[in-house]
Amino acid sequence: MHLVYVDDSGDSRNGTILTALLVPDHRWNDVLAAWLEGRREIHREFGVPKTKELHANELYKGALHR
């Protein structure tokens, strides 16, 4: 079994990008631990709250702080 996350971005009038993440269920604990450590690092380095949804365009513009 796999855990699957699919997300879309963009404007459907100009094009949409789909991204998917597939994780084998037996690796979920490892993936979750790495993800949480990554979020802690983003918080330490850039001050972005760990619960804030990340968007690349906001990160690029510096608009994710609090």
Side-chain angles (χ1 to χ4, degrees):
M1 181 167 70
H2 287 76
L3 301 168
V4 179
Y5 173 78
V6 179
D7 191 29
D8 65 289
S9 62
D11 181 343
S12 61
R13 294 171 294 180
N14 299 313
T16 300
I17 297 173
L18 292 175
T19 303
L21 177 66
L22 286 79
V23 179
D25 60 344
H26 67 276
R27 298 298 313 265
W28 176 244
N29 287 336
D30 297 331
V31 171
L32 180 59
W35 179 266
L36 294 174
E37 180 54 35
R39 288 305 304 254
R40 284 190 286 274
E41 185 64 27
I42 290 170
H43 177 70
R44 281 192 296 270
E45 188 76 23
F46 303 104
V48 177
K50 291 177 269 189
T51 57
K52 177 72 175 164
E53 188 173 321
L54 299 176
H55 294 277
N57 63 331
E58 293 176 0
L59 285 170
Y60 177 74
K61 295 175 186 175
L64 272 181
H65 295 280
R66 293 172 184 78

